[in-house]
Amino acid sequence: MASLSTPLISLPRHPNSSSPSFSTDLRLSSHPALSLIDQCTSIKQLKQVHAQMLRTGALFDPYSASKLITASALSSFSSLDYARQVFDQIPQPNVYTWNTLIRAYASSSDPAESILIFLEMLDHCSECPDKYTYPFAIKAASELRALQVGRGFHGMAIKASLGSDIYILNSLVHFYGSCGDLDLARRVFVKTPKKDVVSWNSMITVFAQGNCPQEALELFKEMEAENVKPNDVTMVSVLSACAKKVDLEFGRWVCSHIQRNEIKENLTLNNAMLDMYVKCGSVEDAKRLFDRMPEKDIVSWTTMLDGYAQLGNYEEAWRVFAAMPSQDIAAWNVLISSYEQSGKPKEALAVFNELQKSKSPKPDEVTLVSTLAACAQLGAIDLGGWIHVYIKKQVMKLNCHLTTSLIDMYAKCGDLDKALEVFNSVERRDVFVWSAMIAGLAMHGQGRDALEFFSKMLEAKVKPNAVTFTNVLCACSHTGLVDEGRTFFYQMEPVYGILPGIKHYACMVDILGRSGNLDEAVELIEKMPIPPTASVWGALLGACKLHGNVVLAEKACSHLLELDPRNHGAYVLLSNIYAETGKWDEVSGLRKHMRDAGIKKEPGCSSIEVNGSVHEFLVGDNSHPLCKEIYSKLDEMALRLKSNGYVPNKSHLLQFVEEEDMKDHALILHSEKLAIAFGLISLSPSQPIQVVKNLRVCGDCHSVAKIISKLYDREILLRDRYRFHHFRDGHCSCNDYW
DNA sequence: TTAGGGTTAG
């Protein structure tokens, strides 16, 4: 670094360019320094010019000082810390100088600093913020989604008679939109006197990104009607709206419109077109475009990869992955998240392992969110916990996404205390964090606590959304809180402004049906303003099974099968109701129908994680390497159960069994029992046995697990399709209400 | 010498 005592600056020539020689004596005047600033290609060169300017007193000249600030803050080799140091050496910065610093921080990773500098400017600058200052400051507020701060700037701009400056107004449209206040954004837009193309683009973008793609497209048509010529930026947002609306037809029209109107295609626009095709499900269109694109970047490749992965064409997806010039973390994330979201959590974890082995790139928060979701699906708490430690070791900030995923993972893996610990450890809790915690408590049968958290959430002024209410109603359903459930359900729209959706109706039918209020449940279904779906009839059918109501069950089942003719769960439930009530002709009739139609019961499958690896068991499974030991443990269990006076519940035995010859052993061979037996032989007595089952736990297995927990003095945690059962000392946390 | 709007993974 140049020191102030260096008498003459002499820099080496840049090897590959004709960069200027710095062997000029800068003491002669400030002008050569200024022209040299423009030619600097590194921070080192800039520092030398800076040193010289300090010596010549050039920083007293506001124009020269500004040039230096611009180069330090905004050039390709800029460093904000350095820019700030330079700034502090300028005796009297003018508005331009302040603006430059505010601008640089506004688009940096630390936009809050931009706002602090704005406030400093008010105190220390003799001039007021001008028409250039506000767009930068408003941009910083947008980045921070700081609604109140931005509103403050808006008010100040009006007071400074800058209220109709088009640059400021356009920034404000963008700002209100990014804070989620589409209404205010629109109001500013409407009041903008002479809208230019940027005004329209800003408003279209706000709609496209604010989940109002239809409004975005309508505004685009309005823009055309007003004879404002759209440009490439307009088309990017319009394409993004088409993608969100999944409107391939309009998307294709937009692409041809781009060509007809000779809007210059650039990389960003091509990528937006690619994205639209992929989101609208036409990977063929995407491929055709991709092949003719003159320039491709990592976004183009990742979008193609995503296109194949979303369609489940993993062969092609992996081919794209291998062909990409480099695999950045986004590419890995596409694979992990598409596996996770299409119900292939094991494949998701395998990709995560590959990523770990490859050493680079490093997982980012998106990777961890998807991987945690895969762990949650599998109940793989060892890996999930490892990721938690990894986050701490990397000193990654727990943002709300990660917090939500951790809470969800711990809750779904059975460790509610850990989930609560994560919840309590964070300062910021958005609606997703609260909702995940409420869901966690609900699935563990702690309905009253869940409702208490809901109250605390309201106290914390966090607005509940539709998901929150699904979880709250779920809590009521699992704990049998019928009156509370009814109250929340009927408060949703009038008090919280959330229209009950299909999931809320299904939950409510479940609450009412499960508690025996079958008539009220039917009445609710009949009064639904939206057509009931299979899940609503399924909830009613489940309630009928619980209360042995054959007539209503048949009605619910026929509605269900009308909507979803291949719903094996419906057949199994009805068949079991018939079996319990001794209607054997109906049972065999149903089974024949299933056989003829080729509908198979989803096989029960239980998994258990031991020492970080997941073991899976099907009914009567004998494929496990420790099969012999598992079966001798099962025999021992059966003996001990028998000597304790346990009699298997015959009605479960008579229920739906896929293979006839398995009937005799079916009960003792249920997958959850195999998994428990394996847990007993492979885990130490202090470790809880944690089993995840893909279907609802069978009644006999539920009773057996209770007794085993007492006989063997073991804690058993069983997660079924709907909730958790904690077995301890002969009792279950669900209090047999499930 | 300064300004506003755009594409990828949850």
Side-chain angles (χ1 to χ4, degrees):
Chain A
M1 184 177 160
S3 83
L4 294 181
S5 60
T6 315
L8 203 68
I9 297 172
S10 169
L11 291 173
R13 264 180 185 280
H14 193 276
N16 297 322
S17 72
S18 52
S19 68
S21 164
F22 280 77
S23 56
T24 321
D25 188 341
L26 294 175
R27 279 171 297 188
L28 295 174
S29 88
S30 63
H31 294 298
L34 290 186
S35 71
L36 284 176
I37 287 176
D38 290 335
Q39 294 167 57
C40 284
T41 54
S42 72
I43 193 93
K44 194 174 168 197
Q45 291 177 344
L46 190 69
K47 281 179 178 172
Q48 300 202 14
V49 180
H50 174 198
Q52 192 62 19
M53 287 175 77
L54 273 175
R55 209 154 4 125
T56 55
L59 291 181
F60 279 99
D61 170 39
Y63 186 81
S64 307
S66 300
K67 279 291 269 190
L68 183 62
I69 272 290
T70 308
S72 354
L74 299 170
S75 65
S76 57
F77 49 85
S78 65
S79 141
L80 276 174
D81 287 342
Y82 178 60
R84 181 75 221 212
Q85 278 174 33
V86 174
F87 186 84
D88 290 338
Q89 289 167 353
I90 297 172
Q92 277 184 318
N94 62 8
V95 185
Y96 176 88
T97 321
W98 284 99
N99 288 352
T100 307
L101 202 63
I102 291 169
R103 172 186 175 193
Y105 275 105
S107 43
S108 77
S109 58
D110 186 12
E113 191 59 28
S114 180
I115 289 169
L116 292 177
I117 295 165
F118 179 91
L119 297 175
E120 238 178 278
M121 177 185 182
L122 295 180
D123 272 352
H124 295 104
C125 185
S126 56
E127 298 160 89
C128 289
D130 62 8
K131 61 177 181 172
Y132 296 105
T133 321
Y134 285 103
F136 299 140
I138 293 166
K139 180 178 175 146
S142 297
E143 295 290 323
L144 293 164
R145 315 232 181 302
L147 186 60
Q148 294 314 322
V149 176
R151 292 187 81 144
F153 292 151
H154 189 176
M156 290 171 78
I158 293 171
K159 274 195 189 153
S161 305
L162 295 168
S164 51
D165 181 278
I166 190 142
Y167 282 86
I168 295 175
L169 288 168
N170 292 347
S171 318
L172 284 168
V173 169
H174 173 74
F175 159 73
Y176 285 121
S178 55
C179 289
D181 200 327
L182 273 59
D183 213 45
L184 270 175
R186 187 194 257 279
R187 265 196 262 172
V188 175
F189 173 74
V190 169
K191 287 199 171 159
T192 302
K194 280 186 184 162
K195 300 180 186 66
D196 64 3
V197 64
V198 178
S199 317
W200 289 92
N201 289 353
S202 305
M203 197 61 227
I204 291 173
T205 308
V206 163
F207 279 135
Q209 295 186 342
N211 257 331
C212 297
Q214 183 58 36
E215 284 80 352
L217 297 184
E218 274 161 21
L219 201 64
F220 169 63
K221 287 175 194 157
E222 212 179 299
M223 173 183 184
E224 298 246 276
E226 299 268 328
N227 284 322
V228 182
K229 212 175 159 338
N231 61 15
D232 53 329
V233 177
T234 321
M235 299 327 270
V236 169
S237 286
V238 170
L239 285 163
S240 159
C242 294
K244 288 230 166 73
K245 241 193 106 197
V246 197
D247 189 340
L248 182 59
E249 204 186 329
F250 195 70
R252 280 192 178 132
W253 179 85
V254 172
C255 289
S256 62
H257 187 77
I258 290 167
Q259 280 152 2
R260 273 201 314 274
N261 288 272
E262 289 169 347
I263 290 171
K264 212 170 161 262
E265 283 188 40
N266 54 34
L267 180 60
T268 305
L269 185 52
N270 278 157
N271 282 344
M273 289 158 89
L274 269 188
D275 179 59
M276 181 279 295
Y277 283 136
V278 158
K279 293 238 169 75
C280 295
S282 177
V283 78
E284 298 83 10
D285 276 306
K287 180 76 167 72
R288 262 193 298 276
L289 170 61
F290 184 78
D291 286 341
R292 73 165 176 83
M293 276 167 59
E295 193 192 344
K296 302 175 180 87
D297 67 358
I298 191 89
V299 174
S300 334
W301 283 94
T302 312
T303 308
M304 284 310 294
L305 170 63
D306 192 32
Y308 290 115
Q310 293 296 323
L311 288 177
N313 185 348
Y314 288 104
E315 209 180 307
E316 205 52 48
W318 279 106
R319 209 168 294 154
V320 171
F321 184 81
M324 310 176 63
S326 69
Q327 291 92 4
D328 70 349
I329 194 62
W332 288 90
N333 291 346
V334 164
L335 287 168
I336 296 175
S337 82
S338 75
Y339 277 128
E340 182 270 313
Q341 288 185 353
S342 57
K344 297 179 189 300
K346 272 186 285 180
E347 286 82 349
L349 294 191
V351 178
F352 180 74
N353 277 333
E354 279 301 306
L355 169 64
Q356 286 296 99
K357 270 192 269 173
S358 76
K359 302 276 190 236
S360 83
K362 267 173 71 173
D364 66 3
E365 5 155 308
V366 178
T367 324
L368 301 181
V369 164
S370 300
T371 309
L372 285 168
C375 292
Q377 277 193 52
L378 287 168
I381 197 169
D382 283 5
L383 180 58
W386 181 88
I387 291 175
H388 193 184
V389 174
Y390 178 88
I391 292 168
K392 285 182 185 158
K393 271 195 185 155
Q394 302 287 315
V395 206
M396 278 171 110
K397 241 184 111 190
L398 266 193
N399 63 15
C400 288
H401 275 300
L402 262 181
T403 309
T404 306
S405 306
L406 277 172
I407 291 172
D408 185 59
M409 181 278 294
Y410 278 125
K412 288 192 177 145
C413 289
D415 199 336
L416 193 58
D417 290 340
K418 267 271 200 245
L420 282 163
E421 200 181 298
V422 173
F423 180 87
N424 289 324
S425 75
V426 295
E427 281 170 20
R428 227 179 87 69
R429 300 181 187 109
D430 66 2
V431 61
F432 296 96
V433 172
W434 281 99
S435 303
M437 199 59 245
I438 291 169
L441 290 160
M443 71 179 85
H444 284 273
Q446 305 199 14
R448 296 220 174 264
D449 292 332
L451 298 190
E452 201 166 303
F453 270 71
F454 180 69
S455 312
K456 282 192 206 158
M457 170 180 167
L458 298 179
E459 277 168 30
K461 301 265 182 293
V462 177
K463 206 172 157 268
N465 64 17
V467 175
T468 322
F469 275 101
T470 306
N471 299 344
V472 165
L473 292 174
C474 201
C476 297
S477 142
H478 287 329
T479 322
L481 303 171
V482 185
D483 292 339
E484 291 83 347
R486 232 187 246 117
T487 307
F488 283 121
F489 182 79
Y490 289 108
Q491 278 182 344
M492 280 179 68
E493 206 192 338
V495 181
Y496 303 96
I498 298 164
L499 209 62
I502 208 73
K503 282 189 177 165
H504 306 108
Y505 276 100
C507 267
M508 202 55 218
V509 168
D510 190 61
I511 292 173
L512 295 170
R514 200 187 286 273
S515 58
N517 297 297
L518 287 168
D519 292 342
E520 196 184 337
V522 172
E523 204 179 312
L524 181 70
I525 296 179
E526 282 166 354
K527 283 190 186 154
M528 275 174 69
I530 37 178
T533 57
S535 60
V536 175
W537 292 115
L540 186 66
L541 181 60
C544 293
K545 157 89 168 60
L546 202 62
H547 298 284
N549 189 329
V550 182
V551 179
L552 194 54
E554 284 175 331
K555 188 180 159 194
C557 196
S558 81
H559 280 291
L560 211 173
L561 291 173
E562 210 173 286
L563 295 164
D564 183 7
R566 304 192 66 79
N567 188 315
H568 46 78
Y571 284 105
V572 173
L573 264 175
L574 187 62
S575 164
N576 288 351
I577 298 172
Y578 285 146
E580 274 179 17
T581 49
K583 294 182 182 297
W584 301 109
D585 289 348
E586 282 83 350
V587 171
S588 50
L590 260 187
R591 288 193 190 170
K592 184 174 178 308
H593 176 78
M594 284 181 78
R595 259 196 309 276
D596 293 349
I599 299 165
K600 286 201 162 173
K601 174 187 179 286
E602 184 181 349
C605 175
S606 296
S607 57
I608 175 168
E609 190 187 7
V610 172
N611 299 328
S613 50
V614 177
H615 302 253
E616 272 185 354
F617 295 92
L618 296 170
V619 59
D621 203 330
N622 51 19
S623 63
H624 196 274
L626 292 178
C627 175
K628 239 180 97 183
E629 289 84 346
I630 292 169
Y631 278 86
S632 65
K633 193 74 186 175
L634 276 172
D635 289 341
E636 179 205 303
M637 282 159 64
L639 274 175
R640 285 186 70 175
L641 283 165
K642 205 175 167 187
S643 64
N644 261 270
Y646 171 72
V647 184
N649 183 335
K650 285 280 195 279
S651 82
H652 297 292
L653 187 66
L654 297 170
Q655 287 179 14
F656 202 97
V657 178
E658 187 78 1
E659 307 293 335
E660 287 296 314
D661 60 350
M662 241 180 215
K663 234 179 182 178
D664 295 342
H665 296 293
L667 262 186
I668 195 68
L669 298 182
H670 270 177
S671 62
E672 48 268 60
K673 294 200 186 85
L674 291 173
I676 291 172
F678 178 64
L680 281 172
I681 58 176
S682 51
L683 293 165
S684 75
S686 61
Q687 289 174 290
I689 298 170
Q690 306 202 29
V691 175
V692 178
K693 184 170 183 204
N694 64 337
L695 308 172
R696 189 171 186 267
V697 60
C698 128
D700 183 63
C701 290
H702 193 265
S703 314
V704 167
K706 281 199 286 187
I707 305 170
I708 295 281
S709 72
K710 192 177 169 76
L711 286 181
Y712 289 80
D713 190 22
R714 296 292 282 259
E715 198 184 329
I716 301 171
L717 240 97
L718 198 152
R719 167 180 145 197
D720 73 7
R721 192 175 213 145
Y722 303 100
R723 60 170 301 154
F724 266 94
H725 300 269
H726 288 237
F727 301 98
R728 196 180 293 150
D729 201 26
H731 294 283
C732 179
S733 62
C734 74
N735 286 321
D736 301 331
Y737 189 86
W738 52 288

